[in-house]
Amino acid sequence: MGTTQLASVPEPKYWHLKTVLSDALDSEFAVGEILPNERELAARFGVARATLRQALEQLELEGRLQRRRGVGTTVAPPRVGVSVTDPGPAWPGAGEAADTWEPVDSGTAVPPAAVARLLHAEPDAEVHVVRRTRISHGQPLAAELLYIPADSVPGLGAVDAPGGDVRARAVLRELRRLDLEGQDQAVELGSARADDAKALDRLPGAPVLVVTTRYYAQGRTAAVGVATYRADTCRLTFAETSPSGV
């Protein structure tokens, strides 16, 4: 690779460098490829390493790069779309997106107050909790907790599955016995809590997208899912609309 010197520009040098680096990522590197070390990159672009770090940090925030412990800085895969429009009701573990989520574990716990209100659950009442993860290009993309009241899965007592992914799948299977009447979603920006950060390989407080889904059956909220997506690997998508009469 030749040496590329930056001309004098009115914008901050690191910001201009970010644009130059972004072009290089598109033309010279493949997804997952490890970038040269900071010393080599700084020499190539004729900048101080502090300036380079600012540009790399910005590209990481924008989801173009990923810093992986023990590996280095790699080119991030394209962002995964998170739909904010109703694709049609489907129980967790069913429908077109079934193969993108992997059940991890299941147990019982008292849900957070906000979830308990959505479920109309009694204070301190335990519900079934299913934990799932979503992986993209070998990297954690999202972590989800599904809160399911006992009366939504009345046949679960007969299932011999004490824990782990086997029990998680059993809970989801029993939930799908209900006739799903509809669902709604809410998306908001948040900060990763310690447990979410660990599951997503991020630092606590990192920006995340929180998608809350309510599932309706038998005229009530039968389950609530709270999925936490890495903001650096996701983008919001909207359903296509056609002009009236088309």
Side-chain angles (χ1 to χ4, degrees), residues 23-238:
D23 291 340
L25 295 179
D26 292 334
S27 60
E28 301 179 31
F29 297 92
V31 170
E33 187 172 349
I34 302 174
L35 266 61
N37 61 41
E38 289 185 358
R39 179 179 56 80
E40 294 175 3
L41 286 174
R44 172 183 174 180
F45 294 104
V47 298
R49 291 176 67 171
T51 300
L52 175 68
R53 291 192 188 103
Q54 285 182 294
L56 294 177
E57 288 171 0
Q58 187 63 39
L59 286 170
E60 184 181 12
L61 286 174
E62 295 179 5
R64 297 301 312 277
L65 297 176
Q66 292 180 342
R67 298 191 184 190
R68 300 169 59 187
R69 287 191 290 269
V71 176
T73 301
T74 63
V75 180
R79 292 193 179 210
V80 174
V82 178
S83 176
V84 294
T85 52
D86 188 0
W91 284 120
E96 294 181 359
D99 59 350
T100 65
W101 288 95
E102 189 67 26
V104 176
D105 199 2
S106 179
T108 58
V110 176
V115 173
R117 286 194 295 271
L118 294 177
L119 291 172
H120 301 289
E122 295 294 330
D124 300 326
E126 290 192 340
V127 300
H128 297 286
V129 183
V130 173
R131 184 160 57 93
R132 303 195 301 169
T133 60
R134 186 174 178 181
I135 305 295
S136 176
H137 292 82
Q139 296 296 307
L141 172 69
E144 182 184 51
L145 292 176
L146 288 163
Y147 300 92
I148 305 166
D151 56 3
S152 292
V153 286
L156 189 62
V159 176
D160 184 16
D165 64 326
V166 174
R167 187 177 190 279
R169 294 177 192 278
V171 175
L172 295 179
R173 187 167 55 249
E174 289 301 312
L175 180 63
R176 292 197 294 271
R177 294 181 185 277
L178 295 178
D179 291 329
L180 181 62
E181 297 169 355
Q183 67 185 52
D184 60 43
Q185 287 185 320
V187 183
E188 59 186 330
L189 183 64
S191 300
R193 301 174 302 172
D195 52 348
D196 293 328
K198 182 177 179 181
L200 298 175
D201 193 24
R202 305 298 289 163
L203 292 174
V208 293
L209 294 175
V210 181
V211 181
T212 302
T213 306
R214 288 198 294 179
Y215 300 91
Y216 299 99
Q218 299 178 338
R220 59 181 175 83
T221 302
V224 171
V226 181
T228 303
Y229 287 80
R230 288 176 52 160
D232 62 322
T233 59
C234 300
R235 57 186 173 84
L236 299 180
T237 63
F238 299 82

